[in-house]
């Protein structure tokens, strides 16, 4: 993965057909997705359960771009190795998920993955000032994590502050939650360069009819151009 700040669209497979992940990933990549975002939830840190390392390993051969794995789980550390072995390119852990985030980020990089750090809507960015040299991505949650399809929380000021703090470091700012053609421009203007979109990408399409995926991705791109 070479670093650049061009806007990347990362469809979340949380909104895909769970019975058809391989073909869904192939379809959405063919329609212009830059990354594939995988939301891992444990029913403990967040109020929902999705999938684990075995699912990531099964879908990895279908992902030709970047597999961006967002761990909404606590504890995180015991599972880092399994998700790394499953083929994650980026592993993102939540600041709020454990007391030793520094160790967690070290372990993610030690396992050969890019290290991401996610922040819930109520968490301030000043808390991560001493972690910026250990991360490759900061994920700003613009919904409270746990479910797809929630209403967007405008955290433009938070993203702008984060962008100032990052300076010239090669760190992506990812936005996760409620991204649409209406909300994406606010976040890109504030400094974001990775947009996770679930329902906004997958709505109206299917493996049999993937064209809407491309239209939805194009609409987000046009909105932020």
């Amino acid at each position: 993965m070479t670093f650049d700040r061009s806007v990347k669209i990362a469809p979340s497979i949380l909104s895909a057909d769970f019975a058809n992940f391989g073909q869904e990933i192939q379809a959405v990549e063919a329609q212009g997705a830059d990354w594939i975002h995988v939301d891992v939830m444990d029913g403990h840190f967040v109020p929902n359960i999705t999938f684990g390392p075995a699912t990531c390993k099964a879908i990895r051969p279908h992902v030709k771009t970047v597999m961006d794995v967002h761990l909404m789980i606590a504890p995180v550390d015991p599972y880092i190795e399994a998700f790394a072995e499953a083929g994650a390119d980026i592993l993102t852990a939540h600041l709020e998920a454990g007391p030793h985030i520094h160790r967690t980020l070290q372990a993610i990089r030690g396992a050969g993955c890019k290290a991401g750090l996610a922040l819930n809507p109520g968490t301030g960015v000043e808390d991560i000032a001493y972690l910026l040299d250990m991360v490759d991505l900061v994920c700003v949650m613009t919904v409270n994590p746990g479910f797809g399809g929630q209403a967007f929380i405008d955290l433009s000021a938070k993203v702008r502050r984060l962008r100032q703090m990052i300076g010239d470091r090669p760190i992506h700012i990812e936005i996760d939650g409620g991204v649409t053609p209406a909300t994406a421009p606010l976040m890109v203007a504030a400094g974001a360069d990775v947009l996770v979109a679930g329902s906004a990408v997958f709505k109206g399409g299917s493996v049999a009819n993937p064209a809407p995926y491309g239209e939805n991705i194009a609409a987000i791109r046009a909105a932020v151009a």
Side-chain angles (χ1 to χ4, degrees), residues 104-183:
T104 300
L105 295 169
Q106 280 181 317
I108 290 171
R109 283 189 165 176
C113 298
K114 298 284 188 187
L117 178 59
L119 304 175
N120 285 338
T123 301
V125 291
E126 305 305 328
D127 291 341
I128 69 168
Y130 298 106
L131 298 167
L132 287 175
D133 290 324
M134 303 191 64
V135 301
D136 303 289
L137 174 147
V138 178
C139 174
V140 176
M141 296 299 300
T142 43
V143 298
N144 287 292
F147 296 99
Q150 295 185 76
F152 173 80
I153 303 167
D154 185 358
L155 296 172
S156 300
K158 182 175 179 177
V159 176
R160 273 194 296 275
R161 175 68 189 122
L162 176 60
R163 184 69 195 86
Q164 286 174 338
M165 290 168 64
I166 286 171
D168 60 2
R169 294 177 179 91
I171 299 172
H172 295 291
I173 298 178
E174 178 174 77
I175 304 300
D176 187 354
V179 170
T180 66
T183 60

Side-chain angles (χ1 to χ4, degrees), residues 212-223:
Y213 298 166
E215 292 159 12
N216 294 338
I217 290 169
I220 296 170
R221 278 201 209 285

